[in-house]
Amino acid sequence: MKEAHASRETGVRLAAAFLALVGVGALAAPWLTTHAPTAQLDPVALAWQPPSAAHWLGTDSYSRDVWSRLLFGARATMGIAVLAVTVSLTFGTLVGAVAALAPRWLDALLMRATDALLAIPRLLLLLLVVAGAGTLEFAPLAILLGSTGWMMTARVVRQDSGRLLATPHLEGARALGVPWARLLTRHLLPSLLPTLAVAATAAFAAAVPLESGLSYLGLGVRTPLPSWGNLLADAESQPLAHWWVIVFPTVMIAGTVLAANALANAMERQWRR
Amino acid sequence: MGASLLGRLAQGALVVLFVVATCFALIRLAPGDPFFRALDEASVPAEVRAAQLARFGYDRPIPEQFARYLGNVVRGDLGWSHSRGQPVAQAIATALPSTLLLVGTAGLLAFVVGVSLGAWSGWHADRPIARGIDRGAMLLLSIPDYLLALLAVMGPALAWGLFPVGGARTEFGPTGLLGLVDRLHHLVLPVLALALPIAAVVTRLQHAAMRDVRDAAFIRTARANGVPERRIRWRHALRNALVPVLSYGGVQVAAALSGVVVIERIFAWPGMGRLLYDGVLSRDYPLIAGGVLVAAIGTVLGTMVADLAIRWADPRQRNA
């Protein structure tokens, strides 16, 4: 049992280290790359170069450097995911916590509306909005992802707030007549932090595939700007001989999601038992 | 029970109405209209376009259009699909069976594999193999379904030629028994791409639930009463441990539809996902409304079935 615990610890450290590396790579992308991510160096002579000293991860069909596109793609994918999670977490927490504190009819109304929104397939909603907007810049895309993803957070927060409000600390604060805004910010939210950390990490793990999926479909970040999703779209239907254009984005997407999921699990084990 | 079922049906109907109304309004607020491909020419005068829009009532206020649409739906008329040149009902009637086949096979596979793997590995949670299964599921659920589909197309389909690249059957292909084999052959990759991530989540949920229930007091009591071990495992433990998986299944119905849109596009599968995707891109208002209506009804029914199953598995929730 102890052995399992130790290997679990290592796994969590690896996950955190991977996410940190991706984060640093995304932030420092201009200093870690030698080519611009959209530069077509020589579409005739330099297309489909396998990984080499000059191009660490090879080049794609337009002779663009895959390493640069991967790092700048991390900027797009990670940036959009983080912003989307911020939006969905803020809104979801607000709805869930207010519902828990509100009178019964408002609570029921808010939570039934949340359930109804959960019944709309998220991708369809995104398709409809993206169709309307045409091309979306980074920030609107992130806000769109966040505003369609807050419902699960709201449900978890509502559930946990209900449990917390029954604890002596919060019951006492309520009995002493603490105004509800102060009750929310000073008493309920701090107690919710572990729940929120888990929810945020899980939402991040869901936002990365969603953004990359949309970009893969050509509805998110559009080429020539790189995102992990449209790197895959560029690699689509290539012969396996050009393995470097497909393997690296695949590893990045799956690795990031796996690491985030592992972290969320570890936090859940740590705090919510 | 009867009254609560009626209440649930009414609630479900409200959800369907809400979903259809949202999508109905959103697509009309989007730029463009069903005729943008045909009439976006400098040579087409504005009056012709206005007349065409008026012919289908698209110049009216959205609430009025929605009221008319509802009236037509109640009379069984889903309208005319501009992009496909056929009645929407007919387009849905050809697309729905393909999707039901795809989703049904994938869902069944995901739950059978996930529940059995998860139940076994959760019951024997201390064995290295069981931990390996749990880890493997964790890895698998981190690969998005579109990525699995993409890899499946590139490797087994394109490079190795083991499976067809897309479609639901070979055009002008064999009929009879060989035709059935041909259809199954086309079904393999899309079903796997759709089912594997779901199976991975189900495995992990079932694993955790079974591991927790293993040490529960009622299991010990049953054992002390001399209930045979097999019966304890399958009747007492598994039934109890199914609850989280079933409630996940209820939430998953809507999410699965998102997956269907992507998978059907990648594999050129002629189903509801493609119908909705094409409908949105060509601004085919009636086609979108009809597709969303069917999808919403399916989602609500799926959630209700999951709820009923939870009540079966956990009698405490029958009065809730």
Side-chain angles (χ1 to χ4, degrees), chain A residues 109-136:
Chain A
L109 186 71
L110 282 173
M111 293 330 283
R112 288 297 82 73
T114 305
D115 288 349
L117 283 172
L118 265 179
I120 308 181
R122 195 170 174 189
L123 193 74
L124 190 64
L125 207 57
L126 293 173
L127 266 180
L128 286 169
V129 179
V130 172
T135 339
L136 281 177

Side-chain angles (χ1 to χ4, degrees), chain A:
Chain A
M1 217 46 221
K2 201 166 186 187
E3 205 174 297
H5 190 70
S7 82
R8 205 179 253 170
E9 285 283 282
T10 324
V12 172
R13 284 207 188 112
L14 272 178
F18 183 84
L19 284 184
L21 264 182
V22 175
V24 168
L27 287 175
W31 297 282
L32 292 174
T33 55
T34 43
H35 306 277
T38 53
Q40 303 188 4
L41 304 167
D42 184 349
V44 181
L46 286 178
W48 301 125
Q49 293 292 306
S52 65
H55 301 283
W56 295 349
L57 303 184
T59 61
D60 70 1
S61 59
Y62 297 103
S63 74
R64 295 174 297 198
D65 185 55
V66 173
W67 167 250
S68 307
R69 290 185 71 70
L70 205 62
L71 277 201
F72 279 92
R75 273 192 160 190
T77 301
M78 301 288 275
I80 289 173
V82 167
L83 189 54
V85 168
T86 314
V87 172
S88 71
L89 201 68
T90 313
F91 200 64
T93 309
L94 209 63
V95 171
V98 165
L101 289 170
R104 192 165 262 196
W105 64 267
L106 186 57
D107 178 20
L109 186 71
L110 282 173
M111 293 330 283
R112 288 297 82 73
T114 305
D115 288 349
L117 283 172
L118 265 179
I120 308 181
R122 195 170 174 189
L123 193 74
L124 190 64
L125 207 57
L126 293 173
L127 266 180
L128 286 169
V129 179
V130 172
T135 339
L136 281 177
E137 297 297 317
F138 280 18
L141 183 62
I143 292 168
L144 177 65
L145 288 182
S147 55
T148 53
W150 54 270
M151 288 84 83
M152 282 315 270
T153 312
R155 272 169 76 152
V156 176
V157 168
R158 170 66 188 86
Q159 219 165 14
D160 258 44
S161 306
R163 186 173 56 77
L164 285 167
L165 283 174
T167 57
H169 153 221
L170 277 153
E171 231 174 19
R174 251 188 160 174
L176 285 172
V178 175
W180 74 268
R182 195 181 157 80
L183 195 70
L184 180 70
T185 51
R186 295 298 293 273
H187 299 271
L188 186 55
L189 283 184
S191 321
L192 275 173
L193 274 181
T195 310
L196 292 182
V198 176
T201 318
F204 177 80
V208 169
L210 202 58
E211 182 280 326
S212 60
L214 272 184
S215 299
Y216 164 71
L217 288 176
L219 300 168
V221 179
R222 308 252 175 148
T223 48
L225 287 179
S227 124
W228 290 346
N230 66 31
L231 285 183
L232 286 172
D234 293 343
E236 190 177 32
S237 311
Q238 286 303 324
L240 292 184
H242 299 151
W243 55 270
W244 56 91
V245 290
I246 183 90
V247 166
F248 297 120
T250 302
V251 169
M252 292 313 283
I253 294 176
T256 305
V257 179
L258 180 64
N261 276 331
L263 271 188
N265 272 346
M267 288 194 280
E268 177 127 31
R269 268 197 309 270
Q270 195 80 23
W271 290 331
R272 296 186 66 192
R273 288 269 156 115

